[in-house]
Amino acid sequence: MDHPGGHPRRWVILGVLVISLLVAVLDNTILNVALRVISDPGEGLGASQSQLAWAINSYTLVFASLLFTWGVVGDRLGRKRILMTGLAIFGIGSLASAYAQSPDQLILARALMGFGGAAIMPQTLSIITNVFDPAERGRAIGIWSGAVGLALGIGPPLGGLLLEHFWWGSVFLINVPIVAVGLLLMAFLVPESRNEAPRRLDPLGVLLSVVGLVLLVYGIIGAGERASLADPDVYGSLLAGLAVLAAFVVHEARSDHPALDVRLFRNPRLAVAVAAIMLMFFALSGVLFFMNFYWQSVRAFTPLHAGLLVIPVALAQLLVAPLSPFLVARFGPKAVCATGIAIASAALGCYALASVDTPVWMIEAVFFAQGTGMALVMPPATESIMSSVPRESAGAASAVQNTVRQVATALGVAVLGAVVSTVYRGRIEPLLHDLPAAVRQPAAESIEATLVVARGLGPAGEHLVAPAKEAFLSGMHLAALCSLAIGILNMVIVLVWLPRHSARAPAPARARADRPAVGKGGDGEADHPAPGAGNRPRRDE
């Protein structure tokens, strides 16, 4: 039921939704800090670089493939009901991940978490869209985006603190009490809402998306493992994945009930905003993946120390994200998005200059710039997406945004992780010929595997430590330059194609004070469009 001016408990509801969002984002930020420990054969599961990538990507691929379906299911059965179901499944998957006995078990448990997480994310934005009116929605989305920054700040230090005192599984077990609190608050405070005319489900589309993405990512990770695209398993998987994804796009374009409505991309506002988010997360996800090994394997910092060092990224998002809607109202989404991408891209390029003894304060400054750039991009891009569709399609638009973000995260980890892995193997393998045959191949898997073998050999393995760090830095530098190139491409796309003005651009407070209290704004349009009407982009944009 609509309420004039928004739901009376809308800000309390937003707080409950932020808790639900935190648990999904918190999990990945905590996992990043734990990657080195999980890769250790003694302290963790002895996971290889590719298994670590799959531990991340099994979550993100299932998450991304089911987001749109869960959005439609929430529109049909009730968003609150599906949100609570997703939280419960996420909690069960967290328990299974905490007590996994092998990398394969962890990968499967993470996939279950992705199944639950996919039900959480689209419902949060859909409920926000329904309980807030257009005048306050941008501010609410800014706070929602800032919650991602909060999770970035809480996750790494919390993960490091847990690893200091408990076993690696505690980084997943921490999700359970958050899920319990979220379910309790949601049961009493969040209203139910649904689309009265929902679309049908699309099982074939979901199947094609899952198969296509898994094949594509398998090929990318395999290329990094083998340091070659010539292996039949690698190029066969890549070609098959691309073919299945092409079939998926054709099927979705022809379906009257698509799992991912590719026709939404005909709207330039939505398409460019989606591209901005996708390229941003592609570049950032790979950087976050290898920076944890930089701190813990190259610089030998503890997980807690490494986690605390990520705080500037979160602090920047917490400070800047709430200001972003006001900047958009003053300067327009194009200027704000392009500025944010430029700042984040410059930060990504700086990682190519990091060395074994780079002053920590310099990297912290880069982290703060990276967080500032993200905070400037996400709220206006998300608002552009949500304002491009009518309110009753909020679940679909939310799912599009989250789907491409998760696909970009999976591909970023796979592609940039493959870059680091390929360069590392090429640099370290010539130095391993004198090692016993039983440890030669495992030692080339990753920097952590090489360091474990070096420690096991005692003084005879000390000569491998410095070259292993240099080999990793070479791969990290190349991956950072790739991220910089992607960021520059992203900025060009935004500058050329993103509309200059917001579809529902609320004027700054001072400008509104100069306007008539009721009626037309300076451009002849209502300041606060009615629901439905305000969701249509202007023709002149």
Side-chain angles (χ1 to χ4, degrees):
M1 179 181 296
D2 287 336
H3 298 266
H7 195 283
R9 293 198 309 269
R10 57 192 179 280
W11 295 109
V12 176
I13 292 168
L14 178 62
V16 177
L17 296 176
V18 163
I19 293 175
S20 304
L21 177 68
L22 281 176
V23 74
V25 180
L26 188 68
D27 172 72
N28 276 331
T29 58
I30 288 182
L31 176 61
N32 281 331
V33 175
L35 289 175
R36 189 208 64 79
V37 178
I38 294 174
S39 69
D40 191 295
E43 296 181 69
L45 299 175
S48 67
Q49 196 84 9
S50 63
Q51 287 171 327
L52 291 175
W54 276 115
I56 294 174
N57 287 338
S58 63
Y59 176 92
T60 53
L61 289 176
V62 172
F63 192 116
S65 299
L66 294 176
L67 267 172
F68 203 94
T69 297
W70 276 122
V72 174
V73 171
D75 288 345
R76 177 185 295 268
L77 300 181
R79 290 151 184 156
K80 172 182 175 178
R81 180 181 303 174
I82 296 303
L83 180 52
M84 294 182 71
T85 301
L87 274 174
I89 295 172
F90 191 91
I92 294 170
S94 297
L95 279 172
S97 297
Y99 294 101
Q101 300 299 307
S102 69
D104 290 341
Q105 288 182 17
L106 177 61
I107 291 169
L108 291 174
R110 291 277 298 159
L112 180 61
M113 293 176 68
F115 187 85
I120 295 171
M121 292 293 284
Q123 315 312 326
T124 58
L125 264 182
S126 297
I127 294 172
I128 288 173
T129 303
N130 277 273
V131 300
F132 284 91
D133 69 5
E136 292 183 320
R137 197 172 300 151
R139 182 181 170 197
I141 290 175
I143 294 172
W144 180 89
S145 299
V148 176
L150 180 63
L152 282 172
I154 295 174
L158 179 59
L161 186 63
L162 290 169
L163 292 171
E164 288 277 315
H165 297 91
F166 306 102
W167 94 115
W168 63 266
S170 61
V171 301
F172 298 107
L173 206 58
I174 192 64
N175 294 331
V176 178
I178 301 175
V179 166
V181 171
L183 286 172
L184 181 63
L185 294 175
M186 202 170 298
F188 293 101
L189 296 174
V190 177
E192 185 60 279
S193 65
R194 58 173 54 86
N195 187 349
E196 298 302 327
R199 286 193 296 270
R200 290 180 291 156
L201 300 179
D202 180 21
L204 177 58
V206 172
L207 179 63
L208 288 173
S209 66
V210 172
V211 172
L213 287 170
V214 168
L215 285 172
L216 184 63
V217 171
Y218 177 83
I220 293 169
I221 294 176
E225 281 186 300
R226 297 167 176 79
S228 172
L229 291 171
D231 191 295
D233 284 347
V234 173
Y235 67 74
S237 177
L238 290 173
L239 293 175
L242 291 173
V244 173
L245 290 176
F248 166 75
V249 172
V250 172
H251 169 73
E252 298 304 281
R254 295 177 176 177
S255 174
D256 60 356
H257 55 285
L260 177 64
D261 193 353
V262 295
R263 288 163 294 200
L264 289 174
F265 291 93
R266 295 172 182 169
N267 185 319
R269 176 182 299 281
L270 181 142
V272 176
V274 163
I277 290 174
M278 187 169 188
L279 292 174
M280 175 66 70
F281 274 86
F282 180 96
L284 289 173
S285 60
V287 170
L288 292 175
F289 181 73
F290 62 65
M291 279 304 292
N292 284 287
F293 287 93
Y294 171 77
W295 287 130
Q296 297 182 54
S297 298
V298 176
R299 302 294 292 263
F301 292 162
T302 66
L304 177 58
H305 194 176
L308 291 171
L309 290 171
V310 181
I311 286 178
V313 178
L315 181 62
Q317 291 208 46
L318 285 172
L319 293 176
V320 178
L323 301 176
S324 184
F326 300 100
L327 295 174
V328 171
R330 178 70 177 85
F331 301 104
K334 174 182 285 193
V336 176
C337 270
T339 300
I341 293 170
I343 293 172
S345 299
L348 293 171
C350 288
Y351 296 122
L353 304 176
S355 66
V356 177
D357 55 0
T358 299
V360 171
W361 71 264
M362 288 186 179
I363 300 179
E364 294 296 274
V366 172
F367 274 179
F368 189 86
Q370 179 180 319
T372 299
M374 290 178 63
L376 289 174
V377 172
M378 286 302 294
T382 301
E383 171 64 9
S384 291
I385 293 170
M386 300 306 291
S387 65
S388 299
V389 298
R391 179 179 292 192
E392 59 269 18
S393 299
S398 170
V400 167
Q401 188 249 39
N402 284 291
T403 296
V404 298
R405 183 165 61 84
Q406 293 299 324
V407 168
T409 297
L411 292 178
V413 170
V415 173
L416 297 180
V419 169
V420 175
S421 181
T422 300
V423 173
Y424 183 80
R425 282 175 174 272
R427 294 287 298 270
I428 201 67
E429 281 183 340
L431 305 176
L432 303 178
H433 292 312
D434 296 335
L435 295 183
V439 299
R440 193 179 305 148
Q441 182 175 349
E445 288 283 348
S446 65
I447 181 174
E448 192 57 34
T450 305
L451 295 178
V452 167
V453 169
R455 287 193 292 267
L457 293 174
E462 289 181 0
H463 72 284
L464 294 175
V465 174
K469 293 181 178 182
E470 290 299 327
F472 178 83
L473 285 172
S474 296
M476 171 179 153
H477 292 163
L478 181 57
L481 292 175
C482 291
S483 296
L484 173 61
I486 293 164
I488 293 172
L489 173 63
N490 194 6
M491 184 173 62
V492 171
I493 290 173
V494 167
L495 287 173
V496 173
W497 285 293
L498 188 69
R500 186 178 300 274
H501 302 291
S502 175
R504 281 193 302 261
R510 183 178 302 173
R512 282 203 303 268
D514 296 331
R515 295 183 180 180
V518 179
K520 306 287 184 179
D523 57 1
E525 295 189 15
D527 287 345
H528 306 303
N535 291 313
R536 292 190 297 271
R538 300 172 186 168
R539 291 184 179 275
D540 63 356
E541 293 171 347

